[in-house]
Amino acid sequence: MPVTDPRTKARALYDARATRIPIAPFSDAEPDLGMDDGYAVQEQLIDLLLADGDRIVGRKVGLTSEPMQRQIGVDSPDHGPVLASTVYPDGAAVALGDFIAPRLEAEIVFVLGGRLQGPGVTVTDARAAIAGAVAGVEIVDSRIEDWRIRLVDTVADLASNGAAVVSSRVVPLDDLDPRLLGMTLSRNGELVDTGAGAAALGDPVAVVAWLANVLGEHGVALEPGQWVMTGALHAAVPMAAGDVFRAEFDRLGAVTVRVA
């Protein structure tokens, strides 16, 4: 029998996160579900996770590149929270068994120095509120079977967020253009992909402005000290036990993660 209410859908995702047993896509049973339905489920799932004692330390934005938007069939990014329990420092080892089907993406991460709340936030406003940028990688994971996601499924599932690994060095944007930041990603010492900041919505700072305006429609602000993960600069890379990934960014330095 199809699950129809957001709370029950959220509980199914909550259980899948705990058991590492994926569930069927909601869009299989209800193909007409869309982005708003996904966020209704996401909100309920966040409530369940915060009730366990977790807390939101930032936000992630996904689907910021045109190829990914075409793949999912949308013309806009999506977003989800970054939870404290899912954040690791540079050089950390993450356990493969903590995930279902993890993939890794290198991203530019901004640290906010000022409060941002839409509507009406411009790229200039966003840049002024950013304290600096750090090197980061996101581990995306799906609680949906075999990554068979449509828009409602990934939005409901916290925008497919799994974990984040970030460097500790915050680089101010004073003379830095995030669009031009180059990145190389290696696995076990071998180059696997490259990218540049402009892959994220044309400008990673525009991602922050977009997010502030979308959240502002619901009375939510981006707060000082929070992070914004601005989206993958390349195609997501599958992870295997024993892998060592290193993402090196112009000006920002490098960040490393080991897969245990």
Side-chain angles (χ1 to χ4, degrees):
M1 179 178 179
V3 176
T4 56
D5 66 285
R7 184 72 176 182
T8 304
K9 286 181 172 66
R11 174 58 68 174
L13 287 169
Y14 176 88
D15 291 343
R17 293 173 70 90
T19 64
R20 314 292 193 265
I21 300 173
I23 62 175
F26 301 130
S27 56
D28 275 3
E30 300 175 76
D32 293 333
L33 294 175
M35 182 174 281
D36 289 345
D37 301 297
Y39 283 121
V41 177
Q42 185 188 114
E43 183 176 347
Q44 295 288 330
L45 178 56
I46 292 170
D47 287 346
L48 290 171
L49 295 168
L50 297 185
D52 285 342
D54 219 330
R55 59 189 177 90
I56 294 174
V57 296
R59 304 277 174 173
K60 67 148 289 184
V61 182
L63 305 178
T64 55
S65 68
E66 289 186 9
M68 283 303 299
Q69 290 180 7
R70 287 196 299 269
Q71 181 178 333
I72 301 295
V74 299
D75 59 3
S76 173
D78 67 350
H79 65 86
V82 176
L83 299 169
S85 65
T86 68
V87 176
Y88 295 83
D90 179 23
V94 300
L96 192 66
D98 287 346
F99 307 96
I100 295 173
R103 301 172 182 178
L104 183 137
E105 303 173 345
E107 306 188 9
I108 295 169
V109 182
F110 290 129
V111 181
L112 292 179
R115 191 173 190 268
L116 273 180
Q117 184 168 11
V121 173
T122 66
V123 173
T124 301
D125 296 332
R127 186 180 178 96
I130 293 170
V134 301
V137 296
E138 181 183 9
I139 298 171
V140 292
D141 196 20
S142 184
R143 276 56 64 169
I144 306 297
E145 293 172 346
D146 303 320
W147 279 97
R148 291 190 299 112
I149 53 172
R150 294 174 66 182
L151 184 58
V152 63
D153 304 304
T154 185
V155 169
D157 191 20
L158 305 189
S160 300
N161 179 249
V165 182
V166 293
S167 69
S168 59
R169 178 170 171 252
V170 180
V171 179
L173 301 190
D174 298 341
D175 60 346
L176 186 154
D177 186 343
R179 298 173 300 176
L180 305 181
L181 290 178
M183 180 279 307
T184 62
L185 178 70
S186 63
R187 176 175 54 203
N188 304 327
E190 296 186 1
L191 181 69
V192 292
D193 217 331
T194 63
L201 216 59
D203 182 351
V205 179
V207 174
V208 178
W210 174 87
L211 179 62
N213 287 323
V214 169
L215 292 175
E217 294 174 1
H218 303 280
V220 177
L222 293 171
E223 302 291 350
Q226 289 188 334
W227 301 336
V228 177
M229 306 191 71
T230 58
L233 304 182
H234 60 93
V237 179
M239 299 165 56
D243 283 343
V244 178
F245 288 94
R246 182 175 175 84
E248 298 181 74
F249 294 79
D250 289 340
R251 306 287 297 276
L252 305 184
V255 61
T256 302
V257 59
R258 306 172 188 278
V259 187

